[in-house]
Every structure is written in structure tokens, then in C-alpha cells.
Amino acid sequence: MPVTFCSGAGCLFRFAVPAIRIGSRMNAFWRVLKLLRPHLGAILCGLFFLVLSTSAMLIQPVLWQQMVDKVLIARQTQLFWPLIAGMLAAGLVGSVASGMRTWLIERVGQKFVLELRTCIYAHLQNQPLSFFHDRRTGDLLARVIGDVDTLQEVVINGTDQFLSNLLGMLGVAAVMIWYKWDLGLLTVAPVMFTFLLMYRYNMRVKPIYRAARDRLGDVSAKLAENLTGVQTIKAFAREDHAAEKLHETISMYFVQNLLGISLRVRYMPAVQFISFIGSIIMIGYGGYQILLGTMSLGVLLAYRGYWWHLYGPVYSIAGINDLLQRASAAGGRIFDLLDHQPELRDAENARELPKIEGRVSFENVAFGYPSRPQVITGLDLSVAPGTRVGLVGSSGAGKSTLLGLIPRFYDPLAGQIRIDGVDVRTITQHSLRRQIGMVLQESFLFNDSVLTNIRFGRPGASREDVQRAAADANAHDFIAQLPQGYDTVVGERGVKLSGGQRQRIAIARAFLADPAILLLDEATSAVEPESEAIIQQALERLMSGRTSFIVSHRLSVIRPCDVIVVIEGGKLAEQGTHAQLLQRGGIYAQMYRMQMGEEAHVISAPEI
């Protein structure tokens, strides 16, 4: 049953991808052809013009034979101009039909790429975060860009040329056999050896090309990693080391390409030699027939013309076949992505979540990763609307994981998470996340204007709404001083701004989204000291009236929370207000004493 991959809001295409596995008998190339079904009308029109242009090509040698035998030899001069007109007409029809075919096929190819890229991205976007944790961004980009380009160039244009040459070859073979069956069969016979060569070549080259595409993905991934980490590379003066590692990766790609070339340089000359044998057979046997007087010179000339139209396509098909094997390898990588079904999906009867108050409940929740099977175990926690919850614990205790479970970035292995009493697995992810805001340690900014980055929280917001949100986030003043104000482009990942400025834009984005639940994960830990107080003031304003979960290693940030939850070993170890936890003298009190020093001795008994 076809699976439709399409983004939710703003979907441009509905593109059914046949659910046929790569390991099935239908390989990636045939799967791509199945994807072209929506364009069948345009393809059939292209095939019509292909037949028309091929027919015009096939009639030319017949007209040459008539010109030689009847006009030049038999002196039937009245046929001279009609034959010339016929040649011109055939050439004109062939040229126009060929142009129309190219326009139709190229248009289908461009639309195919547009649709396929859109749907691959939509499919990737529907994958859970764990999918991206296990894959390299550069390799995914290579599949979406490079592999799709290979498919478009080879499958669309290559298939068009393949069919054109195949139809021309079959037509020529039929005419040659019809003209003189014995000479035709002798001339055509070597073609069968060519197709046998193609079959053997495909079996050997297919895994080589697939490995080459994988190595190209490695190159893209390594290059993206080096460019992203260029500051770290320069900071440690490791440019030579990074270049060496990239060279090693490129060298593996180079080796795979050499393996393909070594096969190809034996394959293509063999096809060329077989074509030469066919020419020798035709000239030798045809010349012998002329000497015996059983065949005219015009017929041999026509055969010579047809021979070029027979073995030219054969040689082209051999080259196109090599390109099709590359496309098959690229298609295999693309379908590897499309065949990967998201582990985390909306239930079939999932409903939209209405506007919520913000009550959050964890009921005997357990969760783990493949590498860490027990991150959270048996956790119970109930949070009333508007409550500020501070989450503390040692590194790796499960605090950030707990935050990720609320917007359903992951599903618990056991237990339930409820929002206003509703299990999050029974509602759509989109309607859930629309009512949750996040400010992370390093909030991501797009390479776009400040206005667009803030408006990402609510795309339809007016400029006045954006400015109001920025003012609430203590960001308006510095934005107004930027070269183009709110229209200033912030650079990739916000590189043109300081850490504090980026964080305030992220807070403004959260203000604009106006969520009922707010998740803050080390929101002030990566900013410069002079910005921390300003950001903390903006966060206090943002948390007002919202259910807020705050993860921070700075207990001064956690101290004002309504309830503080201590997570240790994936379990809820302590829970209470700052004062209550200090009085108990447990884990939180020890953490606070270590961090705050002598100021924490209020929990100790007076010395006697």
C-alpha cells in the first residue's frame, strides 16, 4: 500500500511512494519509474514525439537508396526534387518532434525532482529526534541533494535517451531484416553479445557504485562537520589534522570510483569492438552480394546509413546503462530513507489538543535509549497549572530527557504522560507542541532577519506583535541598534550576534508563541555574565502564569521555583520547596552547600 509523505501545514505535494523494499525484486530504478505515474500523460506525449522523430530518422536511408538507384544510376530525374523535398520534410519533422519530446521530458524531470525533494524533507521532518542522533547531517544532505540530482539527470534524461536509442535500434534492425533478411540478420546478430555484456557488467558494477555513493555521503558528512566546527579546529591549531582526515575520507571515495572506472574501461571498448565486427560483416557480405549481382550499390549505401543508426544507439545504450547503474545506487540510498518508518507517529485516531491550562502528570514513567536502557525509571510527578518546577541533579541524571518527553520528542517505554489529563499519545504532535515553548542552552537562529526568527514562534504575527515580544524579552533596544533593525540578517546560527543577544531573540520567539507550558533547559548557562541578569529578568516575565520546567546547574536560578525536583539515577529522589529541601539536608542541600559555600550554613545547627 502506498505511503504518502507530506508535511502538515503548507504541504505542496502529495506524493505516493510505493512501499516496496530495496531487497525486493523490484530495484530502486523501477521504483522511481513507479513514482512517475502522476506524470504519465506528459510521458506518453513525449513517447509519441519520440516515435515520430524516430520514424523520420528511419525514412532517411530509404530516400538515400532511392536517390542513388533511381536518380543517379537509373536516371529517373523526375524523382530528384521530390526526394530532396522528402529529405527536408523528414529532417524538419524529426527536429520539431525531438524538440517537443525534450521539452516534455525535461519538464517532467524538473517537477519530479521538486516533488521528490519536498517529500523526502517532509519524511525526514516526521522522524523523531533519535533518528537524527544516529545519522550525520552531511550524509542526509548528500541524499536529498546529490542523490536526487543523480536520479533526475540519469533516470529522466537517461531513460529518455535509452528509450530513444532502443526504439531507433529496434526500428533499424526491423527495416534491415525486412530489406534483405540474410544481410540484416548477420549485421544485427552481434548486438545480442552487447546486451550479454551489459548484463554481466551490471551485476559487477552495481555494488561498486552503491559503495561510491556511500563514500560520497561520508565526504559530505565530514566536510559539513569540519565547516561547522571550524572555530574549534582553528582554536586548537588542528587545521592540518582536519585536512588530513578529510583527505582520508575523499581517498576512500576515490578508490571506489577507480574500481568503477577499471570495469568501465574494459566494458566500453568491448562494445565498440563488437560494433566494428558488425560493420565488417555488413561491408564484406554486402560487397560480395554486389559482386554476384544480387544486390545494388544503393541498398548497400542504405545499409551503411542504417548501420550508423544501429550501432550508434547500441554504443549510447551501453553508456547510458552505466549511468543508470549510478542512478540505481543513488535511488537505493534515497529509498533507504523513505523506507524508514518513524518510530514515533500520531495514532490513527489522534485528535487535536484544545487550548490547555497546563497541568502535567508523569505516571510511573520509564524511558531509555539503546545505549542507556534505564535513563528514567518509575517516575511519578504531578504539576498544577502555572507552577514553576525546578529540575536538578547530577550530569546524566535524566533532566533534559524528562523535558523531551513532555512535547513527545520521545515516547516513554512504560507509564503515561498527561497534559490536562489527556495522554499525549492520543493527540497530534503538532497540536501538542503548538502549546509548548522551549528556550535551550544554545537556541538555534536561522540565517534570516531578526523579524523572521522571532516570528518563527507565530508566523502570522504582525510587526507590532514581534516588537512587543522583543520588548518583553529585553531585546528591543539592542535590535533597534542593529544596522537594519528588525530586518538585519543574523547569519548562520546567529553568528553575527552575541550569545546573550541570541538568547533574548529566542525568548522573544517564545513570548510570541504564547505557550501554556514552558521548558527552559540551561537557558542562561551559555551567555556572557553582563547579559545574565537581563535574560533572567526576561525569563521571569516569560514564566509568569505559565507551567514552567527549568533545568539549570545554577541553583540561584532554581531557588525561586514553586517546587524543586531532584532527579538521581533516573528516579525522583527529592521534591519540595527550596526551604523544605534545605531543612531535610539531603541531596539538594548538599548540592546547594557545595555551590553556595558559607551562605548555605543556615541549614547547620549552631555551634556550642
Side-chain angles (χ1 to χ4, degrees):
M1 181 177 179
V3 180
T4 300
F5 297 115
C6 184
S7 58
C11 177
L12 298 176
F13 303 102
R14 297 194 176 276
F15 196 49
V17 179
I20 306 166
R21 301 294 168 189
I22 293 297
S24 70
R25 301 172 89 182
M26 183 172 292
N27 63 22
F29 174 71
W30 293 110
R31 290 184 67 176
V32 170
L33 293 185
K34 288 177 73 69
L35 299 186
L36 293 172
R37 282 178 179 174
H39 307 288
L40 185 59
I43 292 173
L44 289 176
C45 287
L47 289 176
F48 167 76
F49 285 115
L50 171 61
V51 172
L52 193 60
S53 62
T54 301
S55 300
M57 176 269 294
L58 289 174
I59 202 173
Q60 288 280 10
V62 176
L63 297 176
W64 301 345
Q65 184 256 324
Q66 295 292 314
M67 178 68 76
V68 171
D69 286 346
K70 294 188 177 180
V71 176
L72 299 181
I73 295 177
R75 299 294 180 178
Q76 298 180 24
T77 55
Q78 71 276 12
L79 297 178
F80 179 80
W81 289 112
L83 288 172
I84 292 294
M87 292 177 188
L88 288 172
L92 179 62
V93 170
S95 298
V96 171
S98 179
M100 291 298 296
R101 182 198 82 213
T102 300
W103 159 250
L104 287 168
I105 297 301
E106 288 281 356
R107 188 172 182 275
V108 168
Q110 292 301 322
K111 197 168 183 182
F112 168 77
V113 167
L114 173 63
E115 293 171 349
L116 184 56
R117 277 211 181 102
T118 300
C119 294
I120 292 173
Y121 175 74
H123 184 58
L124 288 175
Q125 197 168 238
N126 288 333
Q127 298 294 332
L129 289 180
S130 57
F131 174 88
F132 299 97
H133 294 164
D134 298 333
R135 287 164 178 81
R136 298 162 300 171
T137 302
D139 183 58
L140 293 177
L141 287 175
R143 298 187 192 219
V144 176
I145 298 174
D147 290 339
V148 172
D149 272 344
T150 299
L151 275 184
Q152 186 267 337
E153 183 63 29
V154 178
V155 174
I156 303 301
N157 299 331
T159 301
D160 173 49
Q161 294 177 37
F162 183 86
L163 292 176
S164 174
N165 284 294
L166 181 63
L167 183 61
M169 184 191 71
L170 293 176
V172 167
V175 171
M176 291 177 78
I177 294 172
W178 173 76
Y179 238 98
K180 191 167 179 55
W181 69 269
D182 51 349
L183 180 59
L185 287 174
L186 286 172
T187 305
V188 170
V191 173
M192 302 306 298
F193 291 98
T194 302
F195 283 101
L196 179 62
L197 273 177
M198 284 186 201
Y199 176 77
R200 295 193 61 181
Y201 174 76
N202 290 349
M203 293 300 100
R204 297 183 64 185
V205 84
K206 192 173 295 184
I208 293 175
Y209 282 159
R210 176 56 193 262
R213 296 304 303 186
D214 288 338
R215 297 296 76 76
L216 180 59
D218 293 340
V219 172
S220 298
K222 192 62 181 176
L223 183 60
E225 182 181 58
N226 284 5
L227 292 177
T228 303
V230 66
Q231 185 174 355
T232 302
I233 292 172
K234 287 182 175 295
F236 288 91
R238 298 285 282 169
E239 291 92 341
D240 291 343
H241 173 77
E244 182 181 345
K245 287 294 183 182
L246 180 61
H247 181 264
E248 289 176 3
T249 306
I250 296 174
S251 296
M252 289 189 284
Y253 176 53
F254 169 76
V255 169
Q256 284 298 325
N257 280 325
L258 280 186
L259 291 175
I261 291 171
S262 66
L263 274 179
R264 195 159 61 247
V265 296
R266 296 196 296 270
Y267 162 65
M268 295 302 291
V271 172
Q272 195 170 20
F273 180 70
I274 290 174
S275 301
F276 178 73
I277 290 176
S279 177
I280 295 298
I281 291 173
M282 179 195 65
I283 295 296
Y285 186 76
Y288 179 70
Q289 292 289 313
I290 291 174
L291 292 176
L292 292 178
T294 57
M295 192 175 75
S296 69
L297 179 62
V299 172
L300 182 60
L301 180 64
Y303 259 86
R304 184 63 179 170
Y306 278 125
W307 179 84
W308 283 111
H309 289 302
L310 176 69
Y311 280 95
V314 169
Y315 195 73
S316 295
I317 288 173
I320 294 167
N321 169 70
D322 181 65
L323 295 178
L324 290 177
Q325 300 314 308
R326 297 172 188 260
S328 179
R333 284 166 46 83
I334 289 171
F335 287 115
D336 280 349
L337 285 183
L338 293 178
D339 285 340
H340 188 280
Q341 295 303 310
E343 298 91 356
L344 196 153
R345 288 178 283 182
D346 288 339
E348 290 186 7
N349 57 348
R351 57 188 178 87
E352 294 286 312
L353 180 67
K355 187 172 179 60
I356 60 175
E357 295 180 359
R359 182 180 302 278
V360 180
S361 301
F362 293 83
E363 301 175 1
N364 196 30
V365 169
F367 177 78
Y369 303 101
S371 58
R372 293 177 58 204
Q374 291 186 337
V375 177
I376 295 174
T377 55
L379 190 140
D380 288 290
L381 178 65
S382 182
V383 179
T387 302
R388 296 187 189 184
V389 181
L391 297 174
V392 298
S394 59
S395 179
K399 305 182 296 296
S400 296
T401 298
L402 195 65
L403 290 190
L405 290 171
I406 297 173
R408 207 185 166 207
F409 291 154
Y410 314 97
D411 272 342
L413 302 179
Q416 293 180 329
I417 300 170
R418 296 181 180 273
I419 305 291
D420 284 5
V422 180
D423 189 334
V424 295
R425 287 172 292 195
T426 66
I427 54 181
T428 63
Q429 297 171 62
H430 179 74
S431 66
L432 169 65
R433 294 168 188 167
R434 194 171 49 199
Q435 302 192 59
I436 297 175
M438 297 189 73
V439 181
L440 306 177
Q441 181 176 357
E442 293 185 9
S443 295
F444 185 88
L445 296 185
F446 297 93
N447 186 21
D448 211 322
S449 67
V450 172
L451 180 72
T452 302
N453 272 284
I454 296 176
R455 196 177 271 164
F456 198 78
R458 180 154 54 93
S462 66
R463 196 178 187 93
E464 291 73 23
D465 289 337
V466 170
Q467 291 176 348
R468 194 177 303 114
D472 289 337
N474 290 337
H476 177 75
D477 291 343
F478 89 78
I479 294 173
Q481 295 174 8
L482 294 174
Q484 284 83 40
Y486 281 84
D487 296 315
T488 301
V489 176
V490 301
E492 189 172 6
R493 304 177 70 91
V495 69
K496 296 180 182 180
L497 303 177
S498 70
Q501 289 172 334
R502 289 195 296 269
Q503 205 68 334
R504 279 180 274 172
I505 288 178
I507 294 171
R509 186 160 59 193
F511 263 115
L512 193 64
D514 192 23
I517 298 173
L518 185 63
L519 308 178
L520 306 177
D521 194 352
E522 299 286 3
T524 61
S525 65
V527 300
E528 55 275 13
E530 59 271 21
S531 298
E532 185 175 355
I534 299 174
I535 291 173
Q536 189 59 44
Q537 184 186 61
L539 288 174
E540 289 290 334
R541 198 177 294 130
L542 177 62
M543 289 187 288
S544 179
R546 295 183 171 91
T547 304
S548 303
F549 291 82
I550 306 104
V551 172
S552 178
H553 71 278
R554 297 179 182 177
L555 298 185
S556 59
V557 175
I558 297 295
R559 182 169 51 193
C561 291
D562 300 317
V563 61
I564 298 171
V565 175
V566 180
I567 307 293
E568 278 301 319
K571 297 181 179 180
L572 197 158
E574 294 179 351
Q575 179 179 348
T577 64
H578 171 74
Q580 290 170 345
L581 293 178
L582 286 182
Q583 289 297 325
R584 290 177 191 170
I587 298 173
Y588 178 80
Q590 294 174 12
M591 293 172 61
Y592 190 76
R593 186 183 302 118
M594 291 176 62
Q595 191 170 117
M596 306 303 291
E598 293 300 321
E599 297 178 11
H601 280 294
V602 294
I603 65 170
S604 301
E607 292 184 1
I608 300 174

